[in-house]
């Protein structure tokens, strides 16, 4: 294992980096959650996108690669008539000679030090392979949430909303199963179609606060989280609490 640092609001965060980014480890689970949620995997490379700079640096620390920053405008997942502008950090690994796809004295080790196709997070039959991270379900789910999930305060009901949106229905079904197996009670809804052609599901509003609190509990100890997403959760919980107060 080794350690490297990322930065959150000017403070250094020490991140424990696994020797093998494909093996079971909290950082690996977090990384592959992000890749599955907002990434693209091919035999020659990986590209993963995040809106949080600190999280992007953590992902780069885990697996190497090159980071690029740009400002983008895109359609809101639930309503294609609404657009939003946001920062976007893209991590590219392999494919163009970036770190993680280098030659060594032992020959070409391939992407992330492995020969041949990467094989994660999807196998040859299209099934997601997260078995190596079964002991790190919280970090895996946190990466998935930050990759393809949303957190919001619902002013109409005074509740916190947590949902997951993706084009791949199979991935969302896997996330539903992971949430159902997590140690807090979190009822999940059925998949629904979005106006942009994908799918989404939400966690029951009554269960969302407990699930979100569990998901980010003790995250500062590892540094495996997006500070902006945790702040969004905290603000939403505070708004919901204020809504309930007389």
């Amino acid at each position: 294992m080794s350690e490297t640092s990322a930065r959150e609001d000017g403070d250094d965060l020490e991140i424990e980096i696994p020797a093998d980014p494909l093996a079971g480890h909290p950082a690996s689970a977090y990384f592959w959650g992000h890749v599955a949620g907002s990434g693209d995997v091919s035999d020659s490379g990986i590209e993963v996108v995040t809106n949080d700079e600190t999280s992007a640096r953590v992902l780069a620390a885990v697996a190497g690669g090159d980071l690029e920053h740009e400002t983008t405008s895109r359609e809101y997942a639930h309503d294609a008539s609404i657009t939003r502008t946001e920062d976007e950090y893209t991590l590219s690994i392999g494919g163009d000679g970036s770190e993680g796809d280098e030659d060594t004295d032992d020959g070409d080790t391939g992407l992330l030090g492995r020969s041949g196709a990467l094989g994660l997070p999807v196998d040859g039959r299209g099934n997601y392979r997260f078995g190596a991270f079964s002991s790190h379900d919280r970090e895996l789910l946190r990466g998935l949430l930050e990759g393809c999930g949303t957190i919001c305060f619902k002013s109409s009901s005074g509740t916190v909303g947590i949902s997951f949106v993706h084009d791949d229905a199979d991935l969302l079904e896997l996330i539903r199963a992971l949430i159902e197996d997590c140690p807090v009670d979190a009822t999940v809804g059925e998949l629904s179609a979005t106006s942009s052609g994908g799918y989404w599901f939400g966690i029951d509003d009554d269960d969302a606060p407990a699930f979100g609190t569990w998901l980010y509990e003790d995250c500062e100890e590892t540094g495996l989280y997006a500070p902006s997403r945790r702040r969004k959760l905290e603000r939403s919980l505070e708004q919901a609490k204020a809504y309930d107060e007389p």
Side-chain angles (χ1 to χ4, degrees):
M1 302 296 174
S2 63
E3 290 188 350
T4 189
S5 62
R7 299 184 68 83
E8 177 188 354
D9 298 332
D11 297 327
D12 283 330
L13 291 173
E14 293 298 327
I15 310 297
E16 183 182 273
I17 304 303
D20 182 354
L22 300 179
H25 185 278
S28 301
Y30 178 71
F31 172 78
W32 288 109
H34 264 278
V35 172
S38 62
D40 180 54
V41 178
S42 67
D43 288 352
S44 61
I46 297 172
E47 194 172 87
V48 59
V49 180
T50 176
N51 303 122
D52 186 280
E53 182 178 7
T54 297
S55 178
R57 294 188 182 281
V58 169
L59 298 176
V62 173
D66 298 320
L67 271 177
E68 293 186 359
H69 171 228
E70 63 180 350
T71 302
T72 63
S73 296
R74 63 179 58 196
E75 296 175 348
Y76 185 60
H78 295 297
D79 188 346
S81 66
I82 302 174
T83 60
R84 57 183 178 182
T85 301
E86 55 191 16
D87 288 320
E88 190 171 90
Y89 299 87
T90 301
L91 174 64
S92 299
I93 307 168
D96 58 356
S98 62
E99 184 179 352
D101 194 20
E102 298 177 349
D103 291 340
T104 68
D105 294 339
D106 296 327
D108 187 359
T109 57
L111 188 60
L112 295 178
R114 295 297 182 92
S115 61
L118 182 60
L120 276 173
V122 180
D123 66 18
R125 293 173 296 175
N127 299 316
Y128 286 89
R129 299 176 57 191
F130 291 136
F133 314 129
S134 58
S135 297
H136 311 292
D137 55 343
R138 177 154 49 186
E139 289 80 11
L140 177 60
L141 276 167
R142 193 184 304 144
L144 286 162
L145 175 70
E146 293 175 3
C148 64
T150 63
I151 300 171
C152 67
F153 171 69
K154 301 180 180 181
S155 58
S156 59
S157 58
T159 57
V160 176
I162 296 179
S163 60
F164 292 81
V165 185
H166 203 276
D167 291 339
D168 189 341
D170 290 338
L171 176 62
L172 292 178
E173 290 290 4
L174 174 60
I175 297 173
R176 291 177 75 252
L178 288 170
I179 294 173
E180 290 175 342
D181 289 339
C182 79
V184 296
D185 290 331
T187 303
V188 294
E190 298 296 327
L191 295 193
S192 300
T194 68
S195 60
S196 57
Y199 304 90
W200 76 280
F201 75 89
I203 296 175
D204 187 275
D205 287 357
D206 290 338
D207 298 333
F211 174 77
T213 300
W214 168 78
L215 199 62
Y216 282 90
E217 185 179 18
D218 301 327
C219 62
E220 289 184 342
E221 295 180 3
T222 62
L224 302 171
Y225 70 105
S228 61
R229 189 61 65 91
R230 187 181 68 164
R231 289 193 294 268
K232 181 65 176 295
L233 172 65
E234 291 173 342
R235 286 196 300 268
S236 297
L237 292 172
E238 290 171 358
Q239 288 175 292
K241 182 179 179 180
Y243 187 93
D244 289 335
E245 292 176 351

